Amino acid sequence: MENKGTDEVEKLKTKFLSAWHNVKYSWALKSKTYFSRNSPVFLLGKCYHFKADDEDSPTESCSTEVCDAPPATGGDDVEAFRRDFASRVWLTYREEFPALPGSSLTSDCGWGCMLRAGQMMLAQALILHFLGRDWTWSEALALQPLDTETWTTSAAKRLVASLEASLQGERPSDPGPMLHAPGAPGRAEEADIHQREVYHRTLVSWLGDSPQAQLGVHRLVELGLVSGKRAGDWYGPAVVAHILRKAVEEATDPGLSGITAYVSQDCTVYSADVIDSHQSCVTGGADALPLTDSRAVIIFIPVRLGGEKTNPEYFSFVKSILSLEYCIGIIGGKPKQACYFVGFQDDSLIYMDPHYCQSFVDVSTNHFPLQSYHCPSPKKMPFSKMDPSCTIGFYSRSVQDYQTISHELSKVLLPSANEKYPAFTFMQGHGRDYNLSAELTPEKREWPFIRDPQSSAATAGDFVLL
């Protein structure tokens, strides 16, 4: 009887907490992010210039939501930036999904923001892998800006409208209106567009909020249990990097067999380990040979860019990283918030915010709505507010790609006059060659961030201000 009473109390606490988080995180006040017309904007390796051809234009800033730029080069770039940003996959808090492993929680509101940021970075790697950096979603510019109604309510309305339209036969079964746009070229291009939308939808379904989703929050929480993390706990950027690696490595969907992940050790990327990750052996006995470049590799590098605050000497380094097309962004945050950094302008970072509570979407259904997985509104924050604990991500398609990446990054990582220590380094050989894990247990090798239960000190890799 006592156990039953305790269970009822826990259920009530969960319901009250869920209700509070719903109020706190699902209300989205309409706000605009302003960008200078006089400085370039970088978004995951792409550069955009908002300045119009008229050099004497009095307008010095514009919003990407409502911008009265003239139909010149500047205006075209504003639209191109909006399309590019809105095409990135946006993962946020969700509610009313199936209970998470090891708990009765049906929402990640209030604690899952770093997991969501990690999912967004992983989504960008998958976009590069399947669609390429130049891909944009055909409906990106049709997204409505966040209004003063809850985003959850807005998403629900769109879902109902979509279902009604499909029942009445008003919408074609193909993914986007561009597929049947007047004057569209031949069938080959239509087939290509359709195939890209299939990849897009499949990619989002892998990140869905159900136990069956290969890279969904349920799977990430399940893997976190091995490291002592439970649903409702705080996750640091280093912890999430290792969880994402395990999720990608253990994914069973055939579509994910051509990609794997690697996490650096103590801010060091061991080139031989990455090259080994690129290669996989053909099954066939002792004579099996490695297949060169048979897999792409997502490289996660947990770093710390200062002490209590980010060292200003690293600001230019972060800018250089986000200017590279093979960079898949940075997960980290600012005090009390985790977020996904995707670009910058001047001294401000551009990021995607997971702190919106949206309704559960069943991604196992055909033609599930995609709108709530894309964000129409970028946000900015000063570099000075960036938490020093973060994880940087890169996508490497082949061994040759990795050699180019390591060569280019080695130049970026050269010590400056004031900052003698690079954020991370590249080393030849394998990590085991340096005897780093000789005295570690197998569990510690697999999950290096697990704390020693006899030690109360937090590890640097697990530290993050959320």
Side-chain angles (χ1 to χ4, degrees):
M1 290 292 292
E2 186 176 346
N3 289 338
K4 186 177 180 181
T6 303
D7 290 342
E8 291 297 326
V9 170
E10 287 300 318
K11 287 180 181 179
L12 280 173
K13 287 171 63 178
T14 300
K15 287 182 179 179
F16 277 120
L17 191 63
S18 178
W20 162 245
H21 285 151
N22 187 33
V23 172
K24 183 177 181 181
Y25 295 110
S26 68
W27 189 263
L29 293 177
K30 188 174 183 180
S31 60
K32 296 179 182 179
T33 299
Y34 289 90
F35 292 82
S36 169
R37 289 187 182 275
N38 300 317
S39 303
V41 179
F42 286 87
L43 178 67
L44 294 170
K46 295 283 187 181
C47 180
Y48 297 94
H49 296 271
F50 294 168
K51 193 173 183 64
D53 286 347
D54 181 5
E55 294 294 333
D56 298 324
S57 174
T59 306
E60 295 182 355
S61 66
C62 70
S63 163
T64 58
E65 290 184 9
V66 180
C67 183
D68 298 324
T73 305
D76 291 345
D77 259 19
V78 170
E79 185 173 286
F81 171 80
R82 288 180 56 214
R83 182 185 294 108
D84 192 1
F85 179 85
S87 296
R88 302 312 104 200
V89 175
W90 186 38
L91 283 308
T92 71
Y93 291 151
R94 296 276 174 173
E95 60 178 349
E96 300 176 358
F97 50 61
L100 292 164
S103 78
S104 59
L105 292 176
T106 59
S107 172
D108 63 323
C109 287
W111 59 270
C113 50
M114 190 63 77
L115 289 176
R116 297 301 187 178
Q119 282 185 306
M120 285 189 268
M121 184 162 68
L122 183 56
Q124 179 59 20
L126 295 174
I127 286 175
L128 293 182
H129 184 66
F130 291 106
L131 300 169
R133 181 60 187 90
D134 292 331
W135 172 83
T136 55
W137 185 34
S138 59
E139 298 182 29
L141 294 180
L143 290 175
Q144 296 299 313
L146 299 180
D147 208 339
T148 50
E149 67 176 343
T150 65
W151 184 271
T152 303
T153 304
S154 177
K157 287 179 179 178
R158 286 195 297 270
L159 173 59
V160 171
S162 175
L163 289 174
E164 289 178 347
S166 63
L167 288 173
Q168 297 170 7
E170 293 176 2
R171 291 186 64 179
S173 58
D174 294 306
M178 286 183 63
L179 205 56
H180 301 289
R187 293 181 180 178
E189 185 171 340
E190 287 186 357
D192 182 63
I193 293 173
H194 175 74
Q195 185 63 36
R196 288 176 178 274
E197 286 305 320
V198 169
Y199 276 128
H200 174 207
R201 190 172 291 275
T202 302
L203 188 155
V204 172
S205 71
W206 285 331
L207 298 158
D209 300 310
S210 70
Q212 294 75 34
Q214 301 280 306
L215 307 171
V217 69
H218 290 73
R219 179 60 178 150
L220 302 186
V221 168
E222 181 183 11
L223 290 169
L225 292 173
V226 180
S227 69
K229 293 288 184 181
R230 297 178 300 174
D233 289 347
W234 299 106
Y235 293 73
V239 175
V240 170
H242 285 274
I243 290 175
L244 293 175
R245 174 184 63 82
K246 290 292 289 182
V248 174
E249 285 181 346
E250 298 181 4
T252 57
D253 192 295
L256 291 168
S257 62
I259 190 168
T260 188
Y262 167 86
V263 181
S264 65
Q265 302 176 56
D266 298 325
C267 300
T268 303
V269 179
Y270 292 95
S271 294
D273 289 334
V274 178
I275 292 172
D276 285 351
S277 297
H278 270 297
Q279 300 170 342
S280 62
C281 293
V282 183
T283 57
D287 296 331
L289 297 173
L291 286 177
T292 305
D293 295 359
S294 61
R295 294 186 300 184
V297 179
I298 305 169
I299 303 171
F300 297 116
I301 308 176
V303 297
R304 190 168 183 85
L305 304 177
E308 292 298 316
K309 295 182 178 180
T310 298
N311 188 331
E313 294 298 324
Y314 286 116
F315 293 171
S316 60
F317 161 75
V318 174
K319 291 181 180 181
S320 298
I321 291 297
L322 292 172
S323 302
L324 304 170
E325 284 200 12
Y326 48 81
C327 175
I328 56 173
I330 301 172
I331 59 170
K334 55 183 179 179
K336 298 184 180 180
Q337 285 188 339
C339 53
Y340 172 46
F341 299 114
V342 294
F344 68 92
Q345 184 184 44
D346 295 327
D347 294 324
S348 294
L349 285 156
I350 300 170
Y351 68 96
M352 299 179 73
D353 191 354
H355 297 88
Y356 291 101
C357 185
Q358 303 189 81
S359 293
F360 165 69
V361 173
D362 186 357
V363 295
S364 66
T365 60
N366 291 329
H367 309 297
F368 62 87
L370 287 164
Q371 286 84 354
S372 67
Y373 290 98
H374 293 274
C375 180
S377 308
K379 288 191 174 184
K380 293 173 73 175
M381 62 171 268
F383 272 89
S384 57
K385 291 187 177 181
M386 179 185 183
D387 192 279
S389 181
C390 58
T391 290
I392 304 169
F394 300 99
Y395 170 77
S396 175
R397 186 175 295 275
S398 63
V399 172
Q400 184 178 2
D401 267 9
Y402 172 70
Q403 291 170 343
T404 301
I405 290 169
S406 58
H407 177 71
E408 292 182 357
L409 287 178
S410 295
K411 296 179 181 178
V412 174
L413 291 164
L414 288 175
S416 64
N418 297 322
E419 184 50 59
K420 299 180 180 179
Y421 302 100
F424 60 90
T425 59
F426 288 89
M427 295 285 287
Q428 299 300 315
H430 298 88
R432 63 176 180 268
D433 298 338
Y434 297 85
N435 207 30
L436 294 176
S437 56
E439 298 180 1
L440 296 181
T441 64
E443 185 183 43
K444 265 288 190 179
R445 291 193 194 101
E446 192 70 20
W447 301 96
F449 52 80
I450 295 179
R451 299 180 189 177
D452 186 341
Q454 297 181 352
S455 172
S456 59
T459 62
D462 196 30
F463 176 82
V464 65
L465 290 177
L466 289 168

